[in-house]
């Protein structure tokens, strides 16, 4: 459940970051002929970093909550 929520949060954050950084509404798809390698790889790197940070924040929050609840 937290993975789906985290994915939705990360996706929303990425969409806003990409829109701000590129001025475009949608990020390039890897299979799109409209974009070059550089733009696709930069978008992918940004998306991966955001997903990683969101996942770590959710995992850390869950671990701390469990620790507080159980003392372990």
């Amino acid at each position: 459940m937290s993975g789906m929520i985290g994915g939705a949060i990360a996706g929303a954050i990425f969409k806003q970051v990409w829109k701000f950084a590129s001025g475009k509404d949608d990020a390039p798809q890897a299979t799109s002929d409209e974009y070059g390698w550089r733009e696709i790889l930069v978008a992918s790197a940004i998306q991966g970093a955001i997903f990683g940070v969101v996942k770590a924040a959710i995992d850390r929050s869950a671990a701390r909550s469990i620790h507080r609840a159980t003392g372990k």
Side-chain angles (χ1 to χ4, degrees), residues 12 17 22 28-29 44 48 51 56-57 59:
V17 168
S22 71
Q29 298 296 314
S44 230
F51 273 83
D59 289 350

Side-chain angles (χ1 to χ4, degrees), residues 59-72:
D59 289 350
R60 179 67 177 169
S61 178
R64 291 185 55 92
S65 295
I66 290 169
H67 178 72
R68 278 193 291 267
T70 65
K72 294 182 182 184

Side-chain angles (χ1 to χ4, degrees), residues 11-48:
I13 293 170
F14 171 68
K15 185 172 178 127
Q16 293 304 312
V17 168
W18 184 257
K19 192 176 195 178
F20 176 77
S22 71
K24 298 177 183 175
D25 286 335
D26 296 320
Q29 298 296 314
T31 56
S32 176
D33 289 337
E34 297 175 39
Y35 302 97
W37 278 94
R38 182 178 179 193
E39 196 166 20
I40 289 171
L41 294 178
V42 167
S44 230
I46 293 168
Q47 186 177 32

Side-chain angles (χ1 to χ4, degrees), residues 1-10 13 50-66:
M1 179 75 151
S2 66
M4 291 185 336
I5 294 169
I9 292 169
I13 293 170
I50 290 170
F51 273 83
V53 168
V54 169
K55 182 182 181 325
I58 289 172
D59 289 350
R60 179 67 177 169
S61 178
R64 291 185 55 92
S65 295
I66 290 169

